[in-house]
Amino acid sequence: MQPDAAARAADAVQMALESGAADAFAVENESRDVEFSYRDGALEKVKDAISRNIALELYVAGRYSAHTTTDLAPDRLRAFIREAVALTRALEPDEYRKITPRELFAGRSQTDLDLLDPAVAALDRGQRLAWCGALDGAARTDARVISATAGIYDGSVASSAASSNGFSGSLHSTYCWLGSDITLKDRGDRRAEDSFYAGCTHIEDLPPAQGIGETALRRAIARLDADKGPTGRMTMVVDARAASSLVGRLLASANAYAVQQGRSFWGTRIGQRAFSEKLEIVDDPLIPRGLASRLYDAEGIAAKVLPIVTGGVIENLYVDTYYGRKADMAPTTGSPSNVRVGTGTQSLAELLEEAGEGVYVTSWLGGNADGTTGDFSLGLRGHLIENGAIGRPVGEMNVTGNLRTLFTRLEAVGNDPYPYATILAPSLLFPGVDFSGA
């Protein structure tokens, strides 16, 4: 982030006020994205892109609009803002659109989130190619490999924000992801494929590239000879990586927008036990080096740890100021950060042993979930659970049901939260789940 970014955000606010806006919120964003992709033993793609823009929210005579421009030259920016204010005057009034109340800026944490790794900016072509080579080399230790793609994705994201009612703040973070997608020759003309990626804010927290490639290969090998699983009601154990996605679907309508629009099964159950007492969900924006850590949200609301579900009881939802006003709900924060799902004491192996027989889900393959009712139907890949252990691979199966009912039946929680995601969920065990297959 350039050192004068904060000043430019403040200047944009001042330009908006001088053009006739009653209030304004401006954010200057800057990002760098680098990608090296390696396919079948050779470098296939290199990308290095830098982008900058100013995003501006305008409040003009009871009206609201949002604008973005990549032209930051002062004279042209001033003309852009002047025109944006004029256009805003032509919109219909909206009594619920008001700038974030100043009191919600207060109490910002002084925690050092440690999101910036200088080693990411120092990465060079040689290191990225070395990682690609290690990932590719790990994949090619098996003669059945038909195709292998390795990817390195790194960069930085920075923003500086200012408002007409006293907000100012800056965030700067880095990221680095490594991974492989691998396809193997299976019986006949069939193919088996899988992948594995790991990502962190700091390079030193990444596992070795060779280990990432080996994990991707192991996952692909485990898919060989997969067949349709059976139809029936069985126990389901969801792998930690797949559990992150499942919890994400559960939370998709846990917000004021969905509640106000009548599209959420969460809103009428605040303060009630809606799920198994085993379920604990906390939104925690203050995790050092967290992939979604922040000191404030997009509205400038000071970041705080927010319990969502405690012992199965719904405590809070994601409430932004606009839909909070419309739904008469007190604002919390408008969007998720790091989501921590409470862990138990059992390992994955112990959950499988407890299940005895059933289906172990390792990934989801499309499907849908209705945030209004909670009804869902998801395709899956995984394995049968046979005699308390991982059995033969299965695919071309669907699991159906209702998300609220499913999480009411949550019976056991693992001790193995998946670290490479913004939803840090462990393996989960659900009895009595409906599967359709052969």
Side-chain angles (χ1 to χ4, degrees):
M1 173 64 82
Q2 298 189 11
D4 53 352
R8 277 197 298 272
D11 287 346
V13 169
Q14 186 59 36
M15 291 175 189
L17 298 179
E18 291 171 356
S19 299
D23 277 304
F25 196 108
V27 185
E28 177 164 333
N29 300 294
E30 182 176 319
S31 64
R32 184 189 182 199
D33 300 288
V34 181
E35 174 185 348
F36 273 53
S37 102
Y38 212 71
R39 183 176 179 83
D40 298 334
L43 184 64
E44 181 180 56
K45 178 181 178 182
V46 174
K47 175 183 124 178
D48 190 343
I50 294 176
S51 64
R52 289 172 57 208
N53 66 64
I54 283 185
L56 191 68
E57 295 180 82
L58 298 174
Y59 302 84
V60 183
R63 296 156 172 84
Y64 168 85
S65 64
H67 308 265
T68 303
T69 179
T70 58
D71 192 343
L72 308 188
D75 289 345
R76 290 191 292 273
L77 178 61
R78 186 181 301 276
F80 173 84
I81 292 174
R82 187 182 303 116
E83 182 177 358
V85 170
L87 289 171
T88 306
R89 291 186 185 280
L91 301 176
E92 288 295 318
D94 187 342
E95 62 179 305
Y96 299 104
R97 284 288 188 189
K98 301 174 184 177
I99 198 166
T100 308
R102 185 184 180 94
E103 59 267 24
L104 296 179
F105 304 150
R108 189 188 305 174
S109 174
Q110 300 303 306
T111 301
D112 179 8
L113 297 179
D114 192 18
L115 302 179
L116 185 62
D117 182 10
V120 173
L123 283 173
D124 58 20
R125 178 183 177 89
Q127 178 61 77
R128 294 184 180 99
L129 288 176
W131 279 337
C132 285
L135 291 165
D136 186 72
R140 295 186 176 283
T141 57
D142 193 292
R144 293 167 291 186
V145 171
I146 298 172
S147 177
T149 301
I152 313 297
Y153 311 89
D154 64 86
S156 62
V157 179
S159 66
S160 287
S163 78
S164 55
N165 65 337
F167 179 84
S168 64
S170 295
L171 296 174
H172 196 176
S173 62
T174 50
Y175 64 89
C176 187
W177 286 82
L178 283 69
S180 289
D181 296 90
I182 297 173
T183 302
L184 302 174
K185 180 176 174 54
D186 206 341
R187 64 181 188 269
D189 60 354
R190 300 177 62 178
R191 303 287 184 264
E193 59 184 25
D194 213 318
S195 62
F196 182 71
Y197 285 77
C200 299
T201 60
H202 286 59
I203 290 173
E204 66 183 15
D205 295 334
L206 284 168
Q210 181 176 339
I212 293 172
E214 290 169 348
T215 300
L217 180 60
R218 280 198 305 274
R219 293 180 69 95
I221 290 173
R223 301 303 311 152
L224 290 167
D225 297 317
D227 285 311
K228 275 190 178 183
T231 294
R233 178 164 290 185
M234 294 171 277
T235 296
M236 176 172 72
V237 174
V238 183
D239 175 81
R241 185 170 72 158
S244 295
S245 174
L246 187 63
V247 172
R249 291 179 184 273
L250 177 70
L251 292 173
S253 61
N255 57 75
Y257 165 75
V259 171
Q260 194 273 332
Q261 296 289 311
R263 299 176 181 175
S264 175
F265 59 83
W266 288 75
T268 59
R269 296 181 172 89
I270 298 174
Q272 301 176 18
R273 173 163 285 120
F275 309 109
S276 163
E277 63 181 15
K278 301 279 187 181
L279 185 63
E280 306 272 341
I281 302 177
V282 175
D283 189 275
D284 188 350
L286 303 177
I287 299 175
R289 300 192 179 189
L291 287 170
S293 293
R294 63 195 185 198
L295 295 176
Y296 53 86
D297 71 5
E299 291 192 277
I301 299 174
K304 297 178 176 65
V305 175
L306 183 71
I308 304 296
V309 177
T310 302
V313 176
I314 298 175
E315 292 202 32
N316 292 287
L317 303 184
Y318 296 103
V319 182
D320 65 332
T321 58
Y322 178 65
Y323 283 101
R325 292 186 190 102
K326 296 189 81 170
D328 194 24
M329 302 171 71
T332 55
T333 184
S335 59
S337 62
N338 306 298
V339 175
R340 290 191 287 107
V341 180
T343 57
T345 60
Q346 294 171 280
S347 66
L348 173 60
E350 290 170 327
L351 292 182
L352 295 169
E353 184 177 3
E354 180 177 330
E357 307 291 327
V359 178
Y360 168 50
V361 177
T362 57
S363 60
W364 306 106
L365 297 175
N368 58 78
D370 188 324
T372 304
T373 64
D375 293 338
F376 70 90
S377 177
L378 303 174
L380 66 89
R381 288 193 302 201
H383 298 259
L384 293 183
I385 304 170
E386 300 171 325
N387 299 316
I390 295 175
R392 67 180 178 88
V394 292
E396 300 180 62
M397 294 181 68
N398 286 341
V399 56
T400 58
N402 180 277
L403 285 169
R404 195 177 74 81
T405 302
L406 180 70
F407 278 89
T408 299
R409 294 176 180 165
L410 177 64
E411 191 169 276
V413 178
N415 62 1
D416 56 345
Y418 186 67
Y420 309 119
T422 58
I423 298 179
L424 307 169
S427 300
L428 306 173
L429 184 152
F430 304 90
V433 180
D434 290 323
F435 293 90
S436 59

